[in-house]
Structure formats: structure tokens, C-alpha cells
């Protein structure tokens, strides 16, 4: 797993849990408003943090932290994601995954080991999806990911980043129509570029 950042303690990234946040390097999307280019474009990658360092840190924080969040970049492009999630669980942590939902099969394989999943819905499910994501997106994968998350039985949320130029509020209504009643749906405003920092 290529890791570009670690937030050692967060109150806001895992609902109801004090959590560490692992930022993986690399993403298969190029969203127009992306505020994590240092985790997306290989030429901007910092020297990766080793898994050994992360694991030692998590071993020391057992009993203090409750959860671990895997986010990115896009964690599902990491070949060893399942193995790393299982290791974190074996240390006694709850696990949350943040994903763009583009790799449904991989997501399906890790869902049984998660306690929470947050999936981005980048745009209404039409031609604008690929435009906003900056790459061709297979919408079947997005639909499939949404369905598998719903059937998984774990806590989840869908979320959309609102940007006045690329994803205006007017289009949010179309996205809301994809949701089933009572589903948790978060709107987040596009953030300026910011490096993850240790805390
Ligand atoms: S999916 Fe996330 S990390 Fe990847 S390009 Fe889009 S906003 Fe950036």
C-alpha cells in the first residue's frame, strides 16, 4: 500500500469514533475540483510512509483510538487493501473506507470487513459524471457499488462535493433522486488545496 499521509487523531472523519486517517497515494479519477492533488498526481507524491510505521503506530494507540479510516486518493486501487484492512481489524479497530465507488468488485470484497463506508456520488448518473471526474467513468460500476453498499448491512453515507463551476446546487436534486428514503447524504463544499498534517 502506498501511503502519502497520516492524521494521527481525528474527531470528524469517522462518525462517532476517535480515529486515525490513512491517506493512500494514487487515484483513478482526476476530479476537476480535487483538493488532494498531492495524492493523485504521481509527480506530486511525497515519500511514502511505510506500512510498518503505520502498524507500529496503531499498535501503540490501541485503547486510545477507536477507528481507522482509509481514504485517498482512492484506496480501492491499492492491491493490498483487503489485507491491510484485515490487519487493522485484527488490532481491534473499527474500519471506515472512503471511496469513489469506481471499483465495485474490489469494494464488494472488502465490505464484510468494514464498519462504515462513505461513497462519493460525483454527479448525476449521465454524461456529466465523466466530465466532473476528468476521466471516462463506467456508471455501471457506480450503480453496482451503491447497491452493494446498501445490501452490506453496515453503516454508510453517500456524499457529493458541491462546486459552483463543476457541480452546482441545481444538479444536486438529480443526485438526490438516486437515493432511497432515509439514506444519509452529505453535501460538502469544495475545499482549497491542503496537505494532510500530523496532529
Ligand atoms: S476521487 Fe477524490 S482524490 Fe480522486 S481525483 Fe477525485 S476528488 Fe481527487
Amino acid at each position: 500500500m502506498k501511503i502519502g499521509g497520516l492524521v494521527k487523531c481525528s474527531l470528524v472523519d469517522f462518525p462517532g469514533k476517535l480515529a486515525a486517517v490513512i491517506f493512500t497515494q494514487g487515484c483513478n479519477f482526476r476530479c476537476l475540483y480535487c483538493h488532494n492533488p498531492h495524492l493523485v498526481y504521481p509527480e506530486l507524491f511525497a515519500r511514502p510512509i511505510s506500512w510498518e510505521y503505520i502498524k507500529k503506530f496503531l499498535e501503540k494507540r490501541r485503547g486510545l483510538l477507536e477507528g481507522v479510516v482509509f481514504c485517498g486518493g482512492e484506496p480501492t486501487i491499492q492491491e493490498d487493501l483487503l489485507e491491510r484492512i484485515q490487519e487493522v481489524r485484527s488490532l481491534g479497530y473499527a474500519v471506515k473506507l472512503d471511496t469513489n465507488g469506481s471499483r465495485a468488485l474490489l469494494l464488494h470484497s472488502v465490505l464484510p470487513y468494514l464498519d462504515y463506508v462513505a461513497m462519493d456520488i460525483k454527479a448525476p448518473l449521465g454524461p456529466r459524471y465523466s466530465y466532473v471526474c476528468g476521466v471516462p467513468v463506467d456508471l455501471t460500476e457506480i450503480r453496482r457499488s451503491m447497491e452493494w453498499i446498501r445490501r452490506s448491512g453496515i453503516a454508510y453515507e453517500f456524499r457529493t462535493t458541491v462546486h459552483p463551476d463543476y457541480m452546482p446546487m441545481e444538479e444536486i436534486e438529480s443526485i438526490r433522486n438516486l437515493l432511497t428514503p432515509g439514506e444519509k447524504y452529505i453535501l460538502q463544499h469544495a475545499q482549497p488545496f491542503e496537505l494532510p498534517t500530523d496532529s
Side-chain angles (χ1 to χ4, degrees), residues 27 29-31 33-36 40 72-74 100 120 122:
C27 187
F29 282 6
R30 294 291 184 269
C31 301
Y33 51 70
C34 181
H35 64 280
N36 286 327
V40 173
E74 173 51 38
N100 62 25
D120 293 337
K122 300 286 187 183

Side-chain angles (χ1 to χ4, degrees), residues 161-180:
T161 300
V162 181
H163 188 289
D165 299 329
Y166 307 124
M167 183 42 53
M169 284 301 287
E170 299 82 71
E171 297 207 346
I172 297 300
E173 208 44 45
S174 310
I175 299 175
R176 280 191 199 281
N177 290 336
L178 301 170
L179 305 175
T180 56

